[in-house]
Amino acid sequence: MMSTCRRLATLVWITLASNIAGLATQSADAAPSRRRLHDNEPQWQSYGGDAGGTRHAASRQITPKNVAELEIAWTFRTGDLGVGFVQAEKMSFEATPILIGDTLYLSTPTNIVIALEAATGKFRWRHDPKIPRHVRYAEATSRGVSWWADETAEPNARCSQRIFMGTLDARLIALDARDGARCADFGIGGEVDLAAGARPTERGEYMVTSPPAIYRDLLIVGAAIGDNRGVELERGIVRAFDARTGQQRWSWDPIPTTAAEASTRGWTEESAHKTGGANAWSILSVDAGRGLVFVPTGSASPDFFGGERPGLNNYANSLVALRAESGELVWYRQLVHHDLWDYDLAAQPMLIDIEREGKAIAAVVQATKTGMLFIFDRETGEPVFEIVERPVPRSTIPGEAASPTQPFPATPALVSHAAITPQDAWGLTVFDRGRCRALIGKYRSEGLFTPPSLQGTILSPSFVGGVNWGSLAYDPERQLILAAVNHLPMVVTLVPRDGYDEMRDSGLHPDSEFARQQGTPYGMRREMLASPFGLPCTAPPWGSLAAVDLRRNAIRWQVVLGSTRDRTPWFVPSRTIGMPNMGGPLVTAGGLVFVGAATDNYLRAFAIETGRELWKGRLPAGGQATPMSYEIGGRQFVVIAAGGHGGLKTTQGDYVIAFALPSP
C-alpha cells in the first residue's frame, strides 16, 4: 500500500534561498468556443471524473482569459476535525467529490459521508459509520465514494440509487443516495465485512481507502494494507460484490493460492503461502464496453527485502486486466520485477483513446512512482510504445536476489533516473553543501533500482514518487497527459535483526521511520536525504507539473509546482521553487489545468498549452486532494477538499471549497 514517509514534512523547510525563482513560461492560449452544459448531463460521476479516470471536465466557461476572475463561490465545513480520533494528527483529506444530478457526495478521512447541493454547497445529509476511533489505523484517509443506480427498480423506490464506501475498519457500506439511510437489503444491516477471508493479522492494518469500482451490478474493491510489518501479512485480494445484496460474486488473489498455481507462476509454494500484500489499494478503472476492470497492484510483503519471496513475484507491481463479470485474468504486465523499493502502482489506470501511426487505439496508461508512463492496448495488453528490459544494479545483501533487469518504456520519463553523486549536493551554505556531499558519498547510489543495502541506499525517485495516488489527467483534444510529480530522494537502510531494536531505540535517528519486517533477517530504516538544516540534499524543484504530448511522444512542458509559503516563518520571503505534493490534476475543456497537491495552501490554474501559471486561489488548509469541476445552473464550479495531509504536515482543516466566476 501507499507509504509516504510520515515524517517527510516534520523536517524544517526554513530559510530557503531567496534567489531561487519560479519558472516562467509563455502567454496563455486564446479562449476556446463555449457550449453551455445541461444540468442533467453526466459530468463527474466517478472519483476520476469517469470510470476510466481521465479527470477531464467538459465545461468551457472558465478560460485562460477569465480564470484570474475566479472567486470563492461557497464553502462547506464537514465538522470532521478528528475529535476523539486517536490519530487525528495523521488524518488526510484526500477526497474528490462526485456529482450525481444536482448533488455532490464525498467522504471525510474518518469515513463520514456527506451530500451537498452542488450549486450552493448547502448541506443535505450526513452518514457516520462510526469507525472505532481508538484504533491506530495504518492510514487515516478516504478518497471518496461511488454511485450506482438500480435499473430494475422503480425510480422512487428505496435505495434505487446507492452510494457505496469502503471504510478504515474494512466494511463496505451501502447508503440511499436520497437521504443517506442504510440500504438494509445490502449485506447485514447495510454493510459487508471485508476483513473476512483476507487473513487479517492486526486490527487497523487492513482498510479500504479508495472508492469501489462499478461494473453493471457489481462493486469491485481492493484494500490498503499496512506494509513492512512482516512477511505474513493480509492477502491483497480483489473482490466483486452484488450491488443489491452484498453477496460476493468473485475473488481474485494476486498471490498463488495452490502449489500448482505457484509453480506455473514462478513462485515457490512456501513463499506463496506466507507472503501477503500485492494489494490494489488505489483506484481501479472499468471499461464497461469491453467488460474489463483494470487493477494496479502493489508490492508483495515486505517492501524492502524479498529474500523470503524469490522470483519476479508475478502479478505484484502489475497492471492487471480482469474480466469484470467473473474476475478471470485477461492479461497482465508487471512493471516492477521483485519490488525492493515500495514502488507500488499507486496511480489509477487511465483509459484513453489515442492516435498512433495513423491508427485509433483504445489504450490504458499506467503512471508509476518511478516517473515512467506505460501505455498498453486495452484489449490485448500489447505495448503501444515499446518497452525494453534493461540491466539494473544487483543486490549485495545475502539471501536477496534482485531482478537483473527492469522494464523501461519508450515514453519520456517525468523524473531523472540518474545516480545522485556527491557533485549533486545542494545547500544554502558551504557548510550544509559539504555535509550533503559527505552524506551522499557514504550511501550506495547507482541510479534507479539500486537495491537496499546495509550502508544505506539512495532511492531516487523515492517510494513517494514520481506519480502517486493523485494519478493523471488527459486532454483528448491535444492528446496531452498531465501529472503532478515528486522529485525528492529518500534513503533506505536495512538493519540486521540483532541490532534493530538498539538502533530504533537509540534516539540517534529522530527523523527516521522504522519497520520490523518480521520473518526476514532485516528490519528497515528510512528517511529523507536531508542536510543538518533539514533541507533536501538535492536542488529543487522537489515537485513539478508535467504535460506529455502523445502525438510527439515528448514532454511538452514541465513547470515547478508549489512555493515555500506555509513551510517557512512569516518573515522569510516565499519562493515558487517546486515542493513535494500529494494529489492530482484536473483538465478542463476550457484549456486549463487545475491542481492543488503542493505543500502550500493554494489551488492553481495553468494554461494547458504552455504550462504558465495563470491564477492561484488561497485555501484555508492544505489542498492535498484532486479537484473536480462541473457546470450547473449555467455556472462552472471548481471544487477541492482542503483539509491537509497528515504525512506532509500541511495545515489541517475540514473545508470543501468551490470556486467560480463572479455571478452575472
Side-chain angles (χ1 to χ4, degrees), residues 6-330:
R6 300 182 179 104
R7 293 179 175 83
L8 172 62
T10 61
L11 301 171
V12 186
W13 300 91
I14 297 177
T15 63
L16 287 166
S18 61
N19 62 337
I20 301 176
L23 296 183
T25 52
Q26 301 172 14
S27 59
D29 59 327
S33 61
R34 304 182 190 180
R35 180 182 72 85
R36 176 172 172 172
L37 300 179
H38 297 292
D39 291 353
N40 60 353
E41 286 189 63
Q43 295 188 66
W44 203 281
Q45 293 188 348
S46 301
Y47 169 83
D50 52 51
T54 61
R55 293 168 181 79
H56 179 271
S59 182
R60 299 173 180 267
Q61 185 179 104
I62 304 171
T63 71
K65 286 188 174 181
N66 62 26
V67 67
E69 301 173 30
L70 282 182
E71 61 184 21
I72 293 177
W74 54 258
T75 299
F76 178 81
R77 300 196 67 173
T78 69
D80 189 3
L81 292 169
V83 175
F85 188 52
V86 70
Q87 289 177 296
E89 78 289 345
K90 189 178 177 181
M91 290 168 54
S92 300
F93 197 4
E94 299 176 354
T96 298
I98 60 173
L99 174 73
I100 307 299
D102 64 353
T103 304
L104 292 176
Y105 300 92
L106 64 129
S107 56
T108 73
T110 64
N111 298 128
I112 297 170
V113 182
I114 295 172
L116 304 175
E117 184 178 280
T120 65
K122 181 181 177 181
F123 173 80
R124 286 192 164 162
W125 58 255
R126 171 189 182 99
H127 177 85
D128 186 351
K130 299 188 183 303
I131 64 169
R133 300 176 81 83
H134 66 281
V135 174
R136 293 190 173 275
Y137 300 98
E139 298 292 337
T141 193
S142 174
R143 294 182 190 93
V145 299
S146 300
W147 168 81
W148 174 78
D150 188 348
E151 296 180 355
T152 67
E154 291 294 327
N156 295 323
R158 194 89 189 133
C159 288
S160 60
Q161 294 191 45
R162 304 186 179 199
I163 298 297
F164 293 100
M165 177 189 61
T167 65
L168 292 178
D169 58 346
R171 290 177 286 160
L172 184 59
I173 295 175
L175 306 174
D176 190 315
R178 291 178 300 179
D179 58 15
R182 293 284 188 104
C183 296
D185 56 350
F186 182 82
I188 300 175
E191 65 180 53
V192 171
D193 179 10
L194 294 175
R199 197 175 72 181
T201 59
E202 298 176 57
R203 194 175 187 187
E205 299 289 353
Y206 185 81
M207 309 147 289
V208 178
T209 55
S210 295
I214 305 291
Y215 173 74
R216 295 183 179 176
D217 61 350
L218 294 180
L219 314 172
I220 305 170
V221 62
I225 294 173
D227 48 9
N228 294 313
R229 293 172 287 135
V231 174
E232 299 187 51
L233 301 187
E234 296 80 3
R235 305 284 292 198
I237 54 177
V238 176
R239 288 172 284 185
F241 296 89
D242 188 293
R244 296 181 182 87
T245 67
Q247 180 180 358
Q248 182 173 311
R249 296 266 288 269
W250 57 258
S251 175
W252 177 79
D253 196 327
I255 299 174
T257 56
T258 67
E261 188 183 4
S263 176
T264 59
R265 284 173 45 190
W267 290 71
T268 68
E269 181 180 1
E270 181 183 9
S271 67
H273 175 72
K274 291 194 305 182
T275 302
N279 51 302
W281 60 264
S282 190
I283 305 94
L284 314 184
S285 292
V286 172
D287 183 336
R290 292 174 173 79
L292 298 175
V293 57
F294 294 90
V295 179
T297 64
S299 53
S301 59
D303 291 342
F304 298 102
F305 180 77
E308 311 303 323
R309 47 175 173 86
L312 297 180
N313 307 143
N314 287 326
Y315 298 3
N317 302 91
S318 298
L319 176 59
V320 180
L322 301 178
R323 193 69 61 197
E325 194 67 45
S326 63
E328 174 191 2
L329 178 72
V330 178

Side-chain angles (χ1 to χ4, degrees), residues 305-632:
F305 180 77
E308 311 303 323
R309 47 175 173 86
L312 297 180
N313 307 143
N314 287 326
Y315 298 3
N317 302 91
S318 298
L319 176 59
V320 180
L322 301 178
R323 193 69 61 197
E325 194 67 45
S326 63
E328 174 191 2
L329 178 72
V330 178
W331 59 262
Y332 83 99
R333 286 282 181 170
Q334 188 175 61
L335 306 186
V336 180
H337 305 320
H338 190 74
D339 186 14
L340 300 174
W341 307 271
D342 192 9
Y343 284 158
D344 299 340
L345 298 194
Q348 179 182 12
M350 187 171 68
L351 309 185
I352 63 174
D353 295 317
I354 62 174
E355 298 174 8
R356 178 73 172 159
E357 297 177 350
K359 298 180 180 179
I361 300 174
V364 53
V365 184
Q366 182 64 59
T368 67
K369 290 183 179 180
T370 63
M372 292 190 277
L373 299 176
F374 292 85
I375 305 179
F376 303 99
D377 184 294
R378 265 184 254 167
E379 292 193 18
T380 66
E382 289 301 309
V384 174
F385 294 87
E386 183 184 13
I387 299 172
V388 297
E389 291 282 335
R390 295 179 183 169
V392 292
R394 300 296 186 97
S395 176
T396 58
I397 298 296
E400 182 61 270
S403 173
T405 65
Q406 292 289 348
F408 288 78
T411 49
L414 304 179
V415 299
S416 171
H417 292 156
I420 293 176
T421 70
Q423 287 68 42
D424 297 314
W426 177 88
L428 299 179
T429 68
V430 173
F431 167 75
D432 62 318
R433 282 196 298 275
R435 292 293 297 271
C436 281
R437 192 174 297 115
L439 198 62
I440 293 170
K442 80 172 189 176
Y443 292 130
R444 186 177 181 191
S445 179
E446 299 171 34
L448 182 64
F449 295 121
T450 304
S453 61
L454 297 177
Q455 73 192 81
T457 291
I458 296 177
L459 270 59
S460 180
S462 76
F463 40 82
V464 174
V467 181
N468 210 290
W469 57 262
S471 308
L472 306 171
Y474 184 60
D475 181 338
E477 180 182 344
R478 300 169 180 84
Q479 292 205 19
L480 289 181
I481 290 175
L482 287 303
V485 186
N486 282 297
H487 307 263
L488 198 65
M490 301 283 180
V491 176
V492 170
T493 304
L494 294 179
V495 183
R497 180 68 54 212
D498 57 6
Y500 174 80
D501 289 341
E502 180 181 356
M503 178 180 288
R504 182 196 59 195
D505 300 336
S506 68
L508 298 176
H509 306 282
D511 296 319
S512 295
E513 183 180 10
F514 286 84
R516 182 168 291 278
Q517 298 192 141
Q518 195 67 39
T520 77
Y522 305 96
M524 179 275 293
R525 174 171 63 88
R526 61 186 181 184
E527 63 272 320
M528 188 170 74
L529 178 62
S531 75
F533 291 164
L535 297 172
C537 277
T538 53
W542 303 307
S544 68
L545 180 69
V548 177
D549 187 331
L550 291 183
R551 289 193 177 106
R552 298 190 299 117
N553 191 28
I555 294 177
R556 177 178 289 194
W557 50 258
Q558 191 160 15
V559 298
V560 296
L561 176 62
S563 71
T564 59
R565 185 167 179 180
D566 303 310
R567 301 281 87 190
T568 57
W570 63 269
F571 54 83
V572 177
S574 174
R575 293 290 181 265
T576 301
I577 62 171
M579 300 295 281
N581 58 81
M582 281 289 161
L586 150 73
V587 175
T588 73
L592 294 166
V593 183
F594 288 92
V595 64
T599 53
D600 56 3
N601 300 339
Y602 285 105
L603 175 66
R604 291 177 165 85
F606 297 82
I608 185 70
E609 291 286 357
T610 64
R612 180 184 178 189
E613 183 180 312
L614 302 177
W615 169 86
K616 61 182 178 181
R618 186 71 174 155
L619 301 174
Q624 284 72 54
T626 301
M628 52 88 71
S629 183
Y630 55 91
E631 188 173 326
I632 194 165

